[in-house]
Amino acid sequence: LIFLSGFFVFVASVLFSVARIFDIDSLEDVAFWANAVSTIGAVLAALHLLRKLVILIGLWTILCSKTSRTDGKDRVNISRIRNVTMTQILLTLTRLVTTLAASVALPWSVIENAFPDASSLSSDIPVWIALGAVSMAILATVFFFLVEYVVRYNLSPQLGPFVSELFRDEIESIHQDLSVRQNEIDTKIVQDRENWEYVAREFLHKYRFDTVFAADRFGTILQYIQSGMKQPADSK
């Protein structure tokens, strides 16, 4: 739906440009109303960001409860993960405010231009909302680069084993629930590998660490669970 709304906005912009160049009033009116479709894209983006924000807040709450049960170096590591999660919450919130402002400014500006006497409010209000949305978008972009290339970049490569061990009880419970009876066709190693792959998918579907970490750090969590929660030295 976001793709379709973006496509319609592109078509509308082409029609509007052609109408202004060749002075075609009827085509300009069609393009003008077609721009209202861009609001759908903003609303859909806001719904997506709202869902992501709820996931991040839930994960941050779980990490807070885990922090109270750890001490020493583990407490420091989990606090760092919790802080990274908080930066993602702030970034997502900034983007959410941007999309909400855009979804208000776009239809409002269309109504103000089409029906200038329909509202008693100042016609400059949607302009200021749009400027605020643009400013927030620029801020979110700068914030994104700081999170991506400063906060995430400095995370430990051993993040996967640490996070997995932190949730070992839950992972072992999932493994017990998803383990199927051994058959006599495939080898035990193949069947165990398949079981742990299902466990990794189920765990990472429940705890959406992909919303917090970049692909490399997230991949270490996936690989560690798929290996059966064993360090390389343990598998010898």
Side-chain angles (χ1 to χ4, degrees):
L1 291 176
I2 295 177
F3 170 78
L4 288 177
S5 63
F7 174 76
F8 283 128
V9 171
F10 172 75
V11 173
S13 63
V14 172
L15 292 176
F16 189 77
S17 299
V18 172
R20 294 302 296 269
I21 292 173
F22 296 99
D23 196 19
I24 306 175
D25 294 336
S26 59
L27 187 60
E28 185 173 345
D29 293 338
V30 172
F32 172 77
W33 284 105
N35 280 322
V37 180
S38 59
T39 306
I40 299 176
V43 172
L44 291 174
L47 291 175
H48 166 73
L49 291 170
L50 180 61
R51 179 174 176 269
K52 182 179 179 180
L53 183 63
V54 172
I55 292 172
L56 286 168
I57 292 175
L59 186 58
W60 183 79
T61 303
I62 293 172
L63 291 172
C64 287
S65 65
K66 294 283 185 182
T67 305
S68 61
R69 290 179 246 163
T70 57
D71 53 10
K73 187 176 180 180
D74 289 343
R75 189 181 184 89
V76 174
N77 289 332
I78 194 174
S79 297
R80 186 174 301 171
I81 297 173
R82 191 182 64 187
N83 292 337
V84 174
T85 306
M86 178 55 69
T87 60
Q88 289 296 325
I89 290 175
L90 294 176
L91 176 60
T92 304
L93 183 61
T94 304
R95 289 174 168 174
L96 178 60
V97 172
T98 302
T99 55
L100 289 175
S103 62
V104 171
L106 287 170
W108 195 339
S109 63
V110 170
I111 294 173
E112 283 289 343
N113 285 277
F115 309 102
D117 299 329
S119 175
S120 59
L121 298 175
S122 173
S123 59
D124 294 333
I125 294 179
V127 177
W128 287 109
I129 295 177
L131 288 175
V134 172
S135 301
M136 292 293 289
I138 296 173
L139 176 63
T141 303
V142 175
F143 194 16
F144 168 77
F145 279 100
L146 290 175
V147 172
E148 188 70 21
Y149 298 105
V150 177
V151 178
R152 283 179 168 182
Y153 184 80
N154 292 324
L155 290 174
S156 171
Q158 297 298 319
L159 188 67
F162 172 76
V163 172
S164 302
E165 290 297 335
L166 192 65
F167 291 86
R168 174 173 280 276
D169 293 339
E170 290 91 333
I171 294 174
E172 290 180 346
S173 176
I174 294 173
H175 181 263
Q176 185 177 3
D177 293 338
L178 296 181
S179 293
V180 297
R181 291 184 59 186
Q182 300 286 330
N183 60 60
E184 298 180 358
I185 300 176
D186 298 322
T187 63
K188 184 178 183 301
I189 295 177
V190 172
Q191 294 180 68
D192 286 342
R193 186 186 302 125
E194 185 177 357
N195 286 338
W196 279 110
E197 183 175 348
Y198 286 131
V199 171
R201 292 180 180 180
E202 179 65 21
F203 172 75
L204 293 174
H205 177 73
K206 182 179 180 181
Y207 300 100
R208 296 292 304 275
F209 284 103
D210 58 306
T211 60
V212 179
F213 305 120
D216 53 350
R217 300 299 191 267
F218 175 75
T220 60
I221 303 175
L222 178 65
Q223 293 170 6
Y224 185 75
I225 299 176
Q226 287 179 330
S227 68
M229 302 281 289
K230 295 178 182 179
Q231 294 282 2
D234 298 334
S235 59
K236 295 182 180 180

